[in-house]
Amino acid sequence: MAKIFDIEAVFTSIPSLLKFLPVSLEITFISMVAGLLMGLIFAVIRIKKVPVLSQIVTVFISFIRGTPMIVQLYLTYNGIPLLLKFINEQYGTSYNINALPAMLFVLVTFAFNEAAYNSETIRAALQSVNKGQIEAAESLGMTYFQVLRRVILPEALVVATPPLGNALIGLLKGTSLAFVAGVIEMTAQGKIISGSNFRFFEVYLALAIIYWALTIIIEQVLRYLEKRFSIPEPGQRNTIGGRWFSFGRREI
């Protein structure tokens, strides 16, 4: 009689699942970096109220935040080939639609999804910076981008680190949806393994343990960063972004 629960199946599944960990991490970190860069651009556009672009970004963010990730994956998976087909017909090009890698659809979807959510976090962090410091930097003749790099971003980093860290954890767990576009990552591999040995509970338990362990590691890194970027008590000094700050007198 077969065992109801086989603990050995849990531990024997872990090595097979870990073989696809690099795929999950690749999706996570590429999407996060791209999402942070686009999110910063979107945030600046909305803060500066750039005509036309600000309205477009607002609608885009609203759409992304108002639709499920899996729907966005389906839209990307079906939309990019349609776009290339349209370009081929209109401009006489010969892009090979069938040659598009499945990873492309996943990275595009996750990057834009992160950009939408991160832009709101970054916008709030940028607007939390003391206006007096910004005006003082501008009075010294700095351009907006110099002020952004030297004053705003270092201090906004303190505010943005915790929520962006949570977004990173959510993104890591969200990579389990990549199988929708045909990318084999840890969750998809778990489906394959459980389909062959019929130990569904054991395999998914092993998968849960791996995700849990990864989340704990990320949380520890985030705690270190929060301490590294924390604002000291008045009169103490701290370095953020390689610069000295005295928060007691708000020196830069």
Side-chain angles (χ1 to χ4, degrees), residues 27-28 30-32 34-35 38 64 69-70 72-73 76 103-118 170-179 181:
I27 297 172
T28 300
I30 292 179
S31 300
M32 191 65 183
M38 290 190 292
I64 294 297
M69 171 75 81
I70 193 169
Q72 295 167 24
L73 275 168
T76 304
M103 182 65 80
L104 173 65
F105 306 113
V106 173
L107 292 178
V108 168
T109 303
F110 278 76
F112 278 110
N113 185 275
E114 284 301 302
Y117 284 94
N118 289 346
L171 177 58
L172 173 63
K173 293 183 289 186
T175 58
S176 59
L177 292 174
F179 74 91

Side-chain angles (χ1 to χ4, degrees), residues 15-101:
S16 299
L17 294 171
L18 287 176
K19 290 180 181 179
F20 291 85
L21 174 60
V23 179
S24 297
L25 294 179
E26 178 184 358
I27 297 172
T28 300
F29 290 107
I30 292 179
S31 300
M32 191 65 183
V33 171
L36 285 173
L37 293 176
M38 290 190 292
L40 176 60
I41 294 172
F42 293 165
V44 172
I45 288 174
R46 295 193 68 188
I47 290 173
K48 302 300 288 185
K49 293 182 173 60
V50 180
V52 182
L53 288 180
S54 180
Q55 287 77 11
I56 293 174
V57 169
T58 300
V59 172
F60 169 78
I61 292 174
S62 177
F63 175 79
I64 294 297
R65 298 178 71 183
T67 55
M69 171 75 81
I70 193 169
V71 173
Q72 295 167 24
L73 275 168
Y74 281 127
L75 288 174
T76 304
Y77 190 70
N78 292 279
I80 292 180
L82 283 177
L83 177 62
L84 290 180
K85 185 178 180 180
F86 173 79
I87 293 174
N88 287 341
E89 292 179 354
Q90 290 294 318
Y91 301 100
T93 54
S94 57
Y95 293 113
N96 187 355
I97 298 173
N98 295 323
L100 293 175

Side-chain angles (χ1 to χ4, degrees), residues 47-245:
I47 290 173
K48 302 300 288 185
K49 293 182 173 60
V50 180
V52 182
L53 288 180
S54 180
Q55 287 77 11
I56 293 174
V57 169
T58 300
V59 172
F60 169 78
I61 292 174
S62 177
F63 175 79
I64 294 297
R65 298 178 71 183
T67 55
M69 171 75 81
I70 193 169
V71 173
Q72 295 167 24
L73 275 168
Y74 281 127
L75 288 174
T76 304
Y77 190 70
N78 292 279
I80 292 180
L82 283 177
L83 177 62
L84 290 180
K85 185 178 180 180
F86 173 79
I87 293 174
N88 287 341
E89 292 179 354
Q90 290 294 318
Y91 301 100
T93 54
S94 57
Y95 293 113
N96 187 355
I97 298 173
N98 295 323
L100 293 175
M103 182 65 80
L104 173 65
F105 306 113
V106 173
L107 292 178
V108 168
T109 303
F110 278 76
F112 278 110
N113 185 275
E114 284 301 302
Y117 284 94
N118 289 346
S119 67
E120 293 300 282
T121 299
I122 294 172
R123 184 166 69 96
L126 295 179
Q127 291 179 324
S128 70
V129 177
N130 187 286
K131 298 296 188 295
Q133 295 187 67
I134 298 175
E135 293 172 359
E138 289 175 343
S139 68
L140 295 175
M142 294 186 188
T143 64
Y144 176 75
F145 289 103
Q146 287 177 324
V147 176
L148 185 68
R149 180 173 61 87
R150 298 178 180 178
V151 179
I152 301 177
L153 285 181
E155 290 207 37
L157 185 62
V158 178
V159 179
T161 296
L164 289 179
N166 290 332
L168 178 62
I169 292 174
L171 177 58
L172 173 63
K173 293 183 289 186
T175 58
S176 59
L177 292 174
F179 74 91
V180 170
V183 174
I184 306 299
E185 39 67 62
M186 287 195 298
T187 301
Q189 179 64 8
K191 289 178 177 290
I192 294 171
I193 295 173
S194 59
S196 62
N197 63 11
F198 299 102
R199 287 292 179 179
F200 294 93
F201 181 79
E202 289 86 342
V203 173
Y204 286 120
L205 179 58
L207 193 61
I209 292 172
I210 294 174
Y211 278 115
W212 186 24
L214 291 172
T215 300
I216 291 174
I217 293 172
I218 294 175
E219 286 175 345
Q220 294 303 315
V221 173
L222 290 175
R223 286 177 184 173
Y224 169 78
L225 291 177
E226 287 181 32
K227 291 180 180 179
R228 175 69 176 81
F229 298 138
S230 63
I231 299 177
E233 296 297 324
Q236 294 180 353
R237 284 183 175 267
N238 192 17
T239 57
I240 300 177
R243 298 182 178 278
W244 284 103
F245 289 82

